Structure formats: C-alpha cells, structure tokens
Amino acid sequence: MRDDIDELMAHHDGELPGQDAERRFDDPESRELLGKLAKADKAFASAADELLDIPVPSKLVDAIRQPQPKTAEIIPFPRRRGIVGLAIAAGLATVIATNTQLFQPPANPGADAQPAGYAALLQETMESVPSGEMRSSDDGSVSILPMVSFKTDAATYCREFMSSQNGAEFSGVACRDRAGSWTLLSQQGGASASGGDAYRVAESREAKAEAPQTPNRAAELSYAEEQEAIRSGWKGSGL
Amino acid sequence: MSSDFTEDLVSLLPRLRRFALTLTGDLDQADDLVQQACEKALLKQDQWQVGTRLDSWVYRIIQNLHIDQLRSQGRRSEHLHEDSVDELVDAGSKGLPERENMLSVLSRIIDELPEEQRLVMLLVAVEEHSYREAADILMIPVGTVMSRLARARTRIMATLEAADAGPERGKENA
C-alpha cells in the first residue's frame, strides 16, 4: 500500500479540496486506486442501503410519537428494600454532609479511597440521568444508577440510587438543595465486611448543626414527572 | 414537546436503526437503543442546536447509550482500546445467534468488517459525514477515523478483487 494512502483517501472523501489535490493525484496509479475506492464505497453503500428497507416497527414509531406514561424504572436490588422508610421510621438523625464530606467513602474496610471524580459523577447523574439509566466514570471504576425519584413533604426532590465503587455496592438517597447541589442524606450497604444491610449515615460534625428534617416521601415521581423535573432543572426543589 | 422535532426523529428512524444495527449487530438491541436515544433526544431537545445535523446528534446519543450498556454489562467495548481494535475481526458478533440474522440482511462485505470499521464506513462513505463529524459522533480522534477507513476500504477492495478473480479464489481469501 502506498505511503500517501491517507491523503489519497482524504482527497477521495473531499477532505482535501482544491486544485492542488486534483493535480497531486492526477496520475494513472492514483486514478486507478481512486476508482477502486469508489467501487469499494459503492459496494458497501449498496449493502448498507438494504438496511434502510427493513420496515420500522409501528410500536417504535408510536413510542416516539406518543411516549406512554410509565413509572420510573426501578431496578430490583435487595438492599434497596426499605432504605428510605427505614431512615424515616427509625427517626435517624440523618445528617447532611457538605459536598466535600459528602462523598467520603462509606465505612468499608478494605475499600480503596473514593475514586477521583465520584462527587462530580454523582452530581451529574442525580441532576440529569433518568431512573434506570446507569452512568459510569471514565475508567469504569464507579457506576451510579438512579432508581427512583420522589418529592418530600417540603417539596424537595430526592432520589434513591445504587452505586458500585471498585466492586462494592452501596445504595443511598440524595436530595437537591436550593443551590442545585445534590446532598447525600444516607448511604447503605457496601462490602460484606460492613455487615450487609447495615444502614450508614454520612457524618459531618459541622453539618449536624444544619441537619434538616428527615425527608418524608410524599410521592414518587412517575416516569413522565421525572422527565419533566429533569428537563426543568428540578425547578422548585430545595432543602 | 415539539411535534416538528418528533416528526424529524420519526423520519430519521430508518437511518437511526441502520446506525444502531451496525453498532450492535442485532435488530432487537438496535431498536431498544434507538427508542432510548429518541426518548432522550426528546427530553433534551433544547440542547440540540438548530442548524446542526440532527442525525449526528442522535447518533452520538446512541453511541453513548451503547457504551453505557457495555459498561453496565461489565464488558469493555473494543472501540475504547484504539491500539487493539483495528486489526480485530468483530469477535463480539462471532458465534452469536443473531449472526444468522445479520447474515441474512447484511452482505458479506459489511459483515466481514469489524464493528469499528463498519461505523466509519457508514458515516463517511455512505452518509457523507466529514471526518470531523464522524470523529465527534464516535468520540475518537480524526486520525483514528482515517486509519479505520483505510483498513476497511483495503479489506473491501481485497474482497472485491477476490470475487472478481473467481469464486474459488474468493473462497480462499474469505
């Protein structure tokens, strides 16, 4: 293969406009290769165009034209059971941590330090990712899966999520404050060394003074309501 | 929700499905991806810049969703490893049941190409996206787009030449 094949292809693809390129590749060998490239493209396009003939299912068209209201996707997860209810019923002194303290790794003997970027990933995921869709860090070491969104009696939006960090799984609840930050109210589970379903609370001595009322779950959001909340930037929410 | 935007998406469906099918090699998975991508596009339609290509934007959503799904399944997408993919045959689709369906739809020319090479061929050679646009959609460097194109075309040209040379030789080179 000739050394300037990339340039020849770029010329073929119109990425090298101008007469200089025309002159540069105006020799018999180049013209022959350009002809072969065109033939290869035509063969591929002919095959690819067959895919356009596959009938589009009407259910797909309908799903786009008329999205059906559905409840937010809730992923079955054993430790999820009762996570919020447990916090409420037990009247736990749920503590709000500052954003810095918020994402300290939960007590998890043997676990490495929280991966870099976790806080940002959680903020981004809570803010914009619908329930049931997972987001992962670039290196794949951390994944966060929102499970359900709900509104508290105080009209604050909160979200339950599941998180996998270096192989250990946690679930938690985060609520959106007036400044637009998602604050972790509780975190549960993790490595088996933590005692399975032991409920964990993010602790912060400074934050204790600002501890809010434990959020009561007034209503879970439907899929459509959650979409609207995301679209509007969780308008009206705030601790 | 803008009805025009919705109808624009609907009119793009055949091409969105083709892109997703090229990505996954499975029609059911492709339709799931397309539906999720369209729902996301509708939700975030205010983020799409009027005057830019809507297909490019939705392609990228599909690509992102696909990467997320691979990650959630614990798989590393081959196209995340630029050094190793270009010479690979599409091992991900070998032996899968859907490969039978794939073969019934795609010609051997397409099917023999690795997923990464199929995608750049589809975007550049068929849909006439620029190298820059293809790179943005696939989230890879322009240089990688060019190298994948070169490999794809080299392989297709070899297949065509083998076919032109005769069935027996074509089989030997298959």
Side-chain angles (χ1 to χ4, degrees), chain A residues 15-65:
Chain A
E15 299 274 339
L16 295 177
Q19 293 187 341
D20 286 349
E22 293 283 354
R23 281 193 290 270
R24 179 179 171 186
F25 298 113
D26 190 23
D27 60 276
E29 184 188 349
S30 296
R31 285 198 298 272
E32 181 185 355
L33 191 47
L34 285 167
K36 288 181 179 179
L37 289 175
K39 188 177 176 184
D41 285 2
K42 185 177 178 183
F44 184 92
S46 295
D49 284 348
E50 290 178 18
L51 301 180
L52 296 177
D53 296 332
I54 303 173
V56 177
S58 57
K59 66 176 183 181
L60 182 57
V61 177
D62 292 344
I64 294 165
R65 282 199 174 125

Side-chain angles (χ1 to χ4, degrees), chain B residues 50-160:
Chain B
V50 177
T52 62
R53 289 182 66 155
L54 179 59
D55 56 354
S56 299
W57 188 60
V58 185
Y59 285 163
R60 181 157 185 172
I61 294 175
I62 291 173
Q63 172 82 349
N64 270 319
L65 287 169
H66 183 58
I67 290 173
D68 283 346
Q69 288 177 1
L70 291 177
R71 282 176 172 157
S72 68
Q73 292 164 7
R75 290 177 52 193
R76 295 293 294 173
S77 173
E78 284 84 356
H79 52 251
L80 296 178
H81 301 285
E82 299 297 341
D83 294 339
S84 60
V85 293
D86 287 335
E87 293 300 332
L88 290 176
V89 178
D90 191 9
S93 64
K94 295 285 185 193
L96 296 177
E98 60 264 28
R99 184 172 170 77
E100 294 273 333
N101 296 330
M102 204 41 192
L103 283 172
S104 68
V105 178
L106 299 172
S107 75
R108 193 173 125 217
I109 286 175
I110 289 185
D111 194 59
E112 283 182 344
L113 293 177
E115 167 202 313
E116 293 77 18
Q117 294 177 21
R118 290 198 303 258
L119 285 170
V120 292
M121 282 296 292
L122 178 66
L123 292 173
V124 176
V126 180
E127 301 203 336
E128 299 183 340
H129 288 269
S130 69
Y131 289 175
R132 178 75 264 164
E133 289 171 337
D136 287 344
I137 291 168
L138 300 174
M139 294 173 285
I140 56 178
V142 168
T144 304
V145 170
M146 295 175 71
S147 64
R148 289 179 182 178
L149 270 177
R151 287 183 171 91
R153 283 168 167 156
T154 300
R155 190 179 294 218
I156 295 170
M157 286 190 292
T159 301
L160 292 175

Side-chain angles (χ1 to χ4, degrees), chain A residues 28-218:
Chain A
E29 184 188 349
S30 296
R31 285 198 298 272
E32 181 185 355
L33 191 47
L34 285 167
K36 288 181 179 179
L37 289 175
K39 188 177 176 184
D41 285 2
K42 185 177 178 183
F44 184 92
S46 295
D49 284 348
E50 290 178 18
L51 301 180
L52 296 177
D53 296 332
I54 303 173
V56 177
S58 57
K59 66 176 183 181
L60 182 57
V61 177
D62 292 344
I64 294 165
R65 282 199 174 125
Q66 298 171 325
Q68 295 298 309
K70 57 180 180 179
T71 56
E73 291 182 65
I74 301 173
I75 307 301
F77 181 59
R79 281 188 292 271
R80 179 184 174 278
R81 177 170 46 83
I83 180 170
V84 172
L86 178 60
I88 297 169
L92 290 175
T94 306
V95 176
I96 288 194
T98 64
N99 282 344
T100 303
Q101 297 148 336
L102 174 59
F103 302 106
Q104 294 300 313
N108 179 15
D112 294 331
Q114 202 81 311
Y118 179 71
L121 179 66
L122 184 58
Q123 290 292 320
E124 177 190 340
T125 305
M126 292 296 99
E127 185 72 8
S128 61
V129 178
S131 296
E133 290 186 25
M134 182 179 288
R135 283 291 176 277
S136 301
S137 58
D138 289 340
D139 63 2
S141 64
V142 179
S143 295
I144 297 173
L145 173 67
M147 294 191 295
V148 66
S149 302
F150 63 94
K151 220 168 186 180
T152 68
D153 289 342
T156 296
Y157 285 111
C158 298
R159 305 190 75 184
E160 290 183 41
F161 65 91
M162 190 179 91
S163 170
S164 171
Q165 303 164 35
N166 294 319
E169 290 183 339
F170 304 89
S171 48
V173 177
C175 296
R176 195 176 193 275
D177 65 25
R178 294 186 194 283
S181 293
W182 288 85
T183 301
L184 188 67
L185 292 188
S186 57
Q187 190 153 277
Q188 177 197 32
S192 57
S194 68
D197 284 352
Y199 199 86
R200 299 193 176 281
V201 178
E203 293 188 11
S204 161
R205 191 168 28 183
E206 292 81 0
K208 278 181 180 176
E210 303 170 13
Q213 297 294 315
T214 302
N216 289 309
R217 186 197 302 241

